[in-house]
């Protein structure tokens, strides 16, 4: 959805959106980074402050306790304290003042003196630890060492200091100090902080701690300098409530967000101004490009920006002019094409109508150009078209115009025509161009042209009508034997239209499955056994009915549709042939007619291999028939092509032999297996003695070349008898079998 929205925006809005979004992203990243830094910095500062305070307070409490312990030890070393153990009278007199003096200002809650057996000799509390129940007391008396510990009951700190007399332990002073009081004396000055003295999970002291709040806390553990706390295992915990801790961070966030919003607002304004500056020449270029679509004279440059956009506008103008030239001119010959020719013809008609003048349209087509293309390749054909266009153009007047419509079709516009003699004069000059051969890469080509002529306003008043009628006249020139010109008459239109219609329907016939393959059996005349089949194309037109092959095959070859038709026949015939073989029938050898268009088509041999592989057709059961007349149009190239085809393993036959005027030298070189006698020689046997002699000669030539021979068009017993008497034993014709569809042939093979 976002991408669709973005795609629909103008380039100006896209620039604004992109620049603003980038600024917003950068701003957000900066804010997040700054917040992270501030948070980290404040966290580190708070941590350092809390750690410092915890250490400081911990050390002060440690010092205070150490001071109290040291004073307790000094008390036990006082002579009065020592004497108190041995002098009962003196004890009552001076021990009380000594103890009271000691207890003053030292957070003492009680002070007791016991003898070596732990019996109290002086008490300020009633629960003096009993010797047999106090491990700490026993340890202090037995080992003569100062013992410090925390009472579990009230969390007070107890110091037991032995009293020594002449290096022997006489008793001990047990002093209890108020740990809470000592801790309170060293509380943090800030009321927001809490403090705890903890030993593991046990809380010794707590101040200002609320379990409902969240805190940022630091625990400080006693080190070697704090021996008392370290021995007691007491750590100091100090903390700050999270809301107070977060207050400066929140304040920083608010400030940063405000700054970010201001920065984004400024960036939107800046990006809008930037977008206007960037897109203004682009939008102007767009406006001019759009306007140039309506008026080709409008150029996109100059824009006045003097930057890459200006260069783009200039490049666009250059490309537009180039494309405009390409649209209106033929890429091969650089002559005007149909688009420009029709425009010029339209303008010429306007002028002629206003001046009541005449103009002529000549439709010129090269005769047998396709054969040159197929025989020598498209490079030769293209070069020939270039030479022809140059030569013809040289015979035209400055005011005349020549165009190439495509292929080998040219149109010529003659204006300011006073009479038909002027048209004839130019047409004859054009045809004179083709009297001499064209030389291309040391090859000489003799080629002619056919020209159709239509005159305005006699033969049409619109460009399309004139061109159509000139085309029809050109086909009349071709029908009259080519190498001539014809003026248009009304009857030509119907014939030309019929040809175009037939071509269109022919192209649709394959798609509509209107074709069907018929098969005409070939027989051994002695036994009348079937030795092969010739596959023949039949067209069942939905409206015209059966269309004879001689009506559409030449047109298919001329237009190139024969390639698709031949391949369809080959696929269908091979599939049917192998089906007969799989059914246990014996159709002999399959013969397929091969046009030179198909033979010269790129990829034909690969297609033959593919279909044979797909249908599992053995090469020895497949024969291609090529007409003699097609071979002799370019015998050298045809021989090379046929040799390539022969390498596959298929057989080759010369069809319609005797009509193509081939020489024995070429016939010997052809890689053929069979010669087929044309039916035109067989038809008049035995009435025509010349045909009988020609037939005998063809059979003799075949025998001398060690080629098999077959006669087509055999329709009478007399013809069959004559052929057999002259050692031609194979035949094809109505005497034996007519061409039939696959179903009928299947029944015939079953009977055989």
């Amino acid at each position: 959805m976002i991408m669709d929205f973005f795609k629909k925006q103008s380039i100006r809005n896209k620039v604004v959106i992109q620049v603003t979004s980038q600024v917003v992203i950068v701003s957000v990243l900066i804010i997040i980074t700054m917040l992270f830094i501030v948070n980290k910095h404040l966290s580190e500062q708070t941590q350092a402050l809390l750690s410092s305070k915890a250490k400081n307070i911990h050390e002060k409490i440690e010092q205070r306790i150490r001071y109290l312990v040291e004073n307790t030890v000094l008390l036990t070393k006082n002579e009065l304290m020592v004497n108190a153990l041995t002098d009962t009278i003196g004890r009552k007199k001076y021990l009380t003042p000594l103890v009271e003096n000691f207890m003053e200002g030292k957070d003492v809650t009680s002070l007791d003196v016991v003898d070596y057996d732990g019996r109290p000799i002086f008490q300020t509390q009633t629960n003096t630890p009993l010797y047999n129940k106090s491990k700490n007391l026993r340890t202090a008396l037995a080992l003569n060492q100062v013992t410090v510990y925390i009472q579990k009951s009230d969390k007070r700190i107890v110091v037991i200091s032995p009293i020594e007399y002449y290096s022997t332990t006489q008793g001990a002073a047990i002093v209890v100090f108020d740990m809470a009081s000592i801790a309170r004396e060293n509380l943090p000055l800030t009321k927001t902080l809490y403090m705890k003295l903890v030993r593991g999970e046990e809380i010794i002291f707590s101040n200002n701690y609320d379990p409902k709040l969240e805190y940022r806390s630091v625990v400080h553990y006693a080190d070697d300098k704090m021996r008392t706390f370290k021995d007691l295992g007491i750590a100091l915990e100090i903390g700050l409530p999270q809301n107070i801790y977060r207050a400066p961070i929140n304040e920083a966030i608010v400030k940063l967000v405000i700054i970010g919003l201001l920065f984004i607002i400024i960036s939107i304004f800046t990006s809008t101004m930037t977008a206007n500056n960037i897109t203004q020449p682009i939008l102007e270029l767009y406006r001019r490009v759009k306007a140039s679509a309506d008026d080709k004279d409008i150029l996109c440059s100059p824009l006045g920006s003097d930057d890459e956009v200006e260069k783009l506008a200039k490049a666009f103008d250059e490309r537009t002019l180039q494309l405009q030239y390409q649209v209106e001119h033929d890429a091969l010959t650089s002559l005007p094409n149909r688009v420009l020719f029709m425009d010029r013809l339209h303008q010429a008609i306007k002028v002629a109508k206003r001046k009541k003048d005449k103009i002529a349209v000549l439709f010129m087509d090269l005769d047998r150009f396709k054969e040159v293309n197929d025989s020598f390749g498209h490079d030769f054909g293209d070069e020939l078209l270039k030479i022809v266009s140059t030569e013809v153009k040289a015979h035209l007047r400055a005011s005349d115009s020549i165009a190439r419509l495509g292929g080998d079709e040219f149109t010529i516009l003659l204006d300011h025509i006073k009479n038909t003699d002027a048209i004839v004069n130019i047409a004859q000059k054009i045809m004179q161009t083709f009297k001499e051969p064209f030389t291309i890469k040391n090859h000489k080509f003799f080629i002619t042209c056919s020209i159709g002529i239509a005159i305005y306003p006699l033969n049409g008043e619109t460009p399309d009508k004139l061109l159509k009628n000139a085309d029809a006249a050109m086909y009349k020139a071709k029908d009259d034997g080519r190498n001539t010109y014809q003026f248009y008459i009304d009857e030509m239109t119907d014939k030309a239209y019929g040809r175009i219609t037939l071509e269109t329907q022919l192209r649709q016939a394959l798609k509509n499955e209107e074709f069907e393959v018929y098969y005409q059996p070939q027989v051994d005349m002695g036994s009348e056994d079937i030795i092969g089949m010739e596959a023949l194309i039949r067209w069942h037109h939905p409206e015209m009915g059966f269309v004879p092959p001689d009506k559409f095959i030449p047109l298919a070859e001329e237009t190139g549709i024969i390639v698709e038709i031949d391949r369809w026949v080959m696929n269908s015939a091979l599939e049917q042939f192998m089906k007969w073989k799989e059914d246990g029938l014996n159709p002999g050898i399959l013969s397929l007619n091969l046009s030179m268009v198909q033979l010269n088509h790129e990829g034909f041999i690969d297609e033959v291999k593919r279909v044979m592989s797909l249908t599992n057709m053995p090469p020895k059961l497949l024969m291609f028939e090529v007409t003699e007349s097609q071979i002799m149009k370019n015998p050298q190239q045809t021989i090379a092509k046929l040799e390539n085809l022969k390498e596959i393993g298929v057989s080759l036959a010369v069809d319609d032999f005797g009509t193509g005027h081939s020489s024995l030298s070429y016939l010997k070189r052809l890689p053929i297996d069979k010669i087929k006698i044309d039916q035109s020689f067989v038809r008049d046997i035995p009435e025509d003695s010349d045909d009988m002699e020609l037939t005998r000669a063809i059979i003799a030539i075949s025998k001398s070349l060690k080629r098999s021979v077959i006669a087509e068009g055999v329709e009478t017993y007399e013809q069959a008898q004559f052929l057999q008497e002259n050692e031609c034993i194979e035949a094809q014709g109505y005497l034996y079998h007519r061409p039939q569809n696959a179903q009928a042939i299947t029944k015939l093979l079953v009977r055989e």
Side-chain angles (χ1 to χ4, degrees), residues 366-377:
L366 305 185
D367 299 328
R368 304 192 188 282
F369 174 75
K370 196 172 188 321
E371 295 175 10
V372 175
N373 239 3
D374 292 340
S375 301
F376 293 91

Side-chain angles (χ1 to χ4, degrees), residues 371 375-376 596 630-639:
E371 295 175 10
S375 301
F376 293 91
M596 290 304 299
Q630 287 181 315
I631 293 173
M632 295 316 299
K633 289 177 182 177
N634 188 356
Q636 292 181 346
Q637 186 178 4
T638 303
I639 289 171

Side-chain angles (χ1 to χ4, degrees), residues 574 606-618:
L574 264 66
D606 290 335
E607 178 66 12
V608 173
K609 292 178 181 178
R610 186 190 70 80
V611 177
M612 289 175 64
S613 175
L614 188 65
T615 58
N616 295 319
M617 180 75 168

Side-chain angles (χ1 to χ4, degrees), residues 530-553:
I530 294 175
I531 60 172
M533 303 273 183
E534 181 180 4
L536 303 167
I537 185 74
R538 293 292 182 264
W539 184 8
H540 301 288
H541 194 281
E543 296 174 0
M544 294 186 292
F546 177 77
V547 182
D550 59 356
K551 184 174 182 180
F552 69 87
I553 291 297

